[in-house]
Amino acid sequence: MDNGAPGFIYDAMTKDTDILIAGGGLNGTTLALALASAGFRVTLVDPTPEEARSSDTFDGRGYALALSSKRLLSALGIWKAVADNAQPILDIRISDARAGETPSPFVLEFDHAEIEEGPMGFMIEDRFLRRALLSALAASYRITALSGLCVTDHTASDADVTVTLSDGRTLTASLLIGCDGKKSPTAIRAGITRTGWRYGQTSLVCAIEHEKPHEGTAYQYFMPPGPLAILPLPGNRSSIVWTETDETAAQISALDEAAYLDVLRPRFGAFLGAISLAGARFSYPLELSLADRLTAPRLALVGDAAHALHPVAGQGLNAGLRDVAALAEVLTEARRRGEDVGRADVLSRYPAWRRLDISTLAVATDAINRLFSNDNPILRLGRDLGLGMVGQFPGLRRGLIREAAGLTGELPRLSRGLPL
């Protein structure tokens, strides 16, 4: 975290800020903190009004953070503020299932004890993570946060990028970073196109309270319409990510709370006892959407602005945080060498680092969803046997656990828990 220690000597006479970030969600806020910790002056522009950003009401949303994401937050000094409200994921159980039936006996189980690093991930509620990030943001003198505003235009030159805000102000920076979602206006203005498709599926997201303890176990049931994830939250509560076809999801979303639970129960089962809803309900249409480029003149894309993936592997936020770690390291190392961080040759190092991971995740999540989101009896038998066989090979199983924990590949310093 930015602790006020002296950083770099800036050429403050020519630019209003070093780096301007469009979008103040989790990725944008974390990136601002990472860059500030390395000595950059950062301006964060977020369309969400300040009062809406700081709500402390439990609304049912939670995130599965891989161990590498937890390490990043630790390196930035954020984790200590959320640790008491985080639920370690100690076990993951994956199997085929149908509504109203006992899950398949062929189960792939990931036990955190099989790797020496500890829990492979943690569940954290949105309200706690967001509050910790906003508190750190307010404490950093290198970050200027502008709430209730958006970037409406930008123009890149050889020397800088000029950004126009919705209140008419213009600001200059060395670099503009788009953290403004999968329909990123920043990317659109830069002429960056996207590749992808809709899945015809919608994820229904909520939280539930249940009678029996979950013991830190996450469940992934592959149902014919799409996966059902049951993710442990602190106490006798779990986060639900429940995928149905678009048409069915729309019908379920329109139901009242009692009817909604009546539809969920036969899919959920009785292994955690009686269940009830906790917090609000959400729905998210699913698609694969990849930016064809991660950079443009004086511009880079991070998180959903760069890639929106199927949630089947729970890697959306984790992939965005790996973007944050990689880009922050690229820019920090360039600055230390005296390079202009907005130049094309510097920015090219970011996609060179991230493209393989993004492409692999996109292919893997797409393939898993297509293989498992159906009721074809031949495919069902093959994938059940496959799940059972993978579980018989400890080396392969440990490799998959490390992959789920975000511990594979060339990890940036922050993802290893090291400062920039």
Side-chain angles (χ1 to χ4, degrees):
M1 187 187 300
D2 175 16
N3 59 8
F8 299 106
I9 298 174
Y10 299 105
D11 180 11
M13 297 298 100
T14 59
K15 299 180 181 69
D16 296 305
T17 188
D18 294 319
I19 296 173
L20 190 143
I21 299 173
L26 299 179
N27 288 314
T29 304
T30 306
L31 179 58
L33 292 168
L35 292 171
S37 76
F40 288 95
R41 295 176 303 145
V42 183
T43 297
L44 181 67
V45 180
D46 184 14
T48 307
E50 179 63 33
E51 59 273 15
R53 284 167 56 86
S54 55
S55 173
D56 195 36
T57 303
F58 176 59
D59 62 9
R61 291 181 297 170
Y63 305 105
L65 294 177
L67 178 56
S68 61
S69 296
K70 180 259 186 183
R71 288 177 171 176
L72 179 152
L73 294 174
S74 294
L76 295 177
I78 303 299
W79 187 254
K80 61 186 177 184
V82 301
D84 289 345
N85 293 301
Q87 168 63 51
I89 299 175
L90 304 177
D91 198 3
I92 301 175
R93 297 179 186 176
I94 303 169
S95 63
D96 252 333
R98 288 192 186 96
E101 297 183 9
T102 301
S104 166
F106 297 98
V107 178
L108 176 58
E109 184 170 358
F110 295 153
D111 186 338
H112 79 289
E114 293 193 63
I115 60 173
E116 59 274 15
E117 289 86 353
M120 61 195 99
F122 297 80
M123 283 297 297
I124 183 74
E125 293 174 24
D126 175 86
R127 57 174 171 164
F128 296 128
L129 180 55
R130 197 172 299 271
R131 183 174 66 192
L133 291 170
L134 291 175
S135 178
L137 204 69
S140 175
Y141 71 87
R142 291 196 179 101
I143 301 174
T144 300
L146 304 177
S147 299
L149 294 173
C150 59
V151 175
T152 59
D153 197 13
H154 73 270
T155 304
S157 71
D158 288 341
D160 56 30
V161 58
T162 300
V163 174
T164 303
L165 305 183
S166 52
D167 64 358
R169 273 185 287 175
T170 60
L171 299 172
T172 56
S174 292
L175 178 65
L176 170 63
I177 303 176
C179 296
D180 45 356
K182 62 186 177 182
K183 300 187 184 301
S184 168
T186 303
I188 292 170
R189 284 193 307 270
I192 298 176
T193 55
R194 302 184 78 89
T195 299
W197 45 81
R198 285 289 311 277
Y199 284 111
Q201 296 171 309
T202 295
S203 276
L204 303 168
V205 177
C206 63
I208 60 164
E209 294 181 353
H210 40 78
E211 274 187 305
K212 300 178 182 178
H214 49 56
E215 298 180 342
T217 299
Y219 299 86
Q220 178 88 287
Y221 294 140
F222 286 108
M223 317 288 281
L228 168 65
I230 303 169
L231 307 168
L233 290 171
N236 281 14
R237 295 182 304 152
S238 293
S239 177
I240 306 298
V241 183
W242 163 25
T243 302
E244 294 282 351
T245 63
D246 289 340
E247 182 179 359
T248 301
Q251 294 170 353
I252 295 171
S253 293
L255 298 173
D256 61 24
E257 182 173 313
Y260 186 94
L261 283 169
D262 285 343
V263 179
L264 175 59
R265 284 190 183 97
R267 291 158 172 79
F268 188 93
F271 69 103
L272 290 178
I275 62 173
S276 59
L277 282 173
R281 298 179 282 162
F282 303 87
S283 64
Y284 303 98
L286 302 183
E287 63 180 300
L288 175 67
S289 179
L290 303 177
D292 294 327
R293 292 179 289 140
L294 297 185
T295 64
R298 299 268 166 195
L299 183 148
L301 301 178
V302 163
D304 283 356
H307 44 76
L309 308 172
H310 196 287
V312 64
Q315 288 299 310
L317 177 57
N318 293 304
L321 292 178
R322 288 198 291 276
D323 292 346
V324 166
L327 182 57
E329 186 165 329
V330 164
L331 299 179
T332 300
E333 290 300 316
R335 187 67 174 268
R336 287 174 181 157
R337 288 191 292 266
E339 298 176 291
D340 177 351
V341 297
R343 287 184 61 87
D345 58 335
V346 171
L347 294 180
S348 67
R349 299 164 198 162
Y350 169 56
W353 197 342
R354 291 296 300 137
R355 268 301 186 191
L356 178 60
D357 181 44
I358 293 168
S359 299
T360 301
L361 275 175
V363 170
T365 54
D366 185 74
I368 291 170
N369 183 59
R370 292 180 188 277
L371 175 62
F372 284 89
S373 295
N374 62 76
D375 206 20
N376 183 299
I378 297 175
L379 288 177
R380 190 179 182 89
L381 175 61
R383 67 200 186 211
D384 284 355
L385 293 173
L387 288 174
M389 288 180 63
V390 169
Q392 300 306 307
F393 294 91
L396 177 57
R397 194 171 59 243
R398 281 194 294 272
L400 291 173
I401 293 172
R402 293 183 64 81
E403 184 73 33
L407 300 179
T408 59
E410 184 185 356
L411 293 178
R413 290 181 60 83
L414 289 175
S415 298
R416 289 180 278 140
L418 302 173
L420 289 169

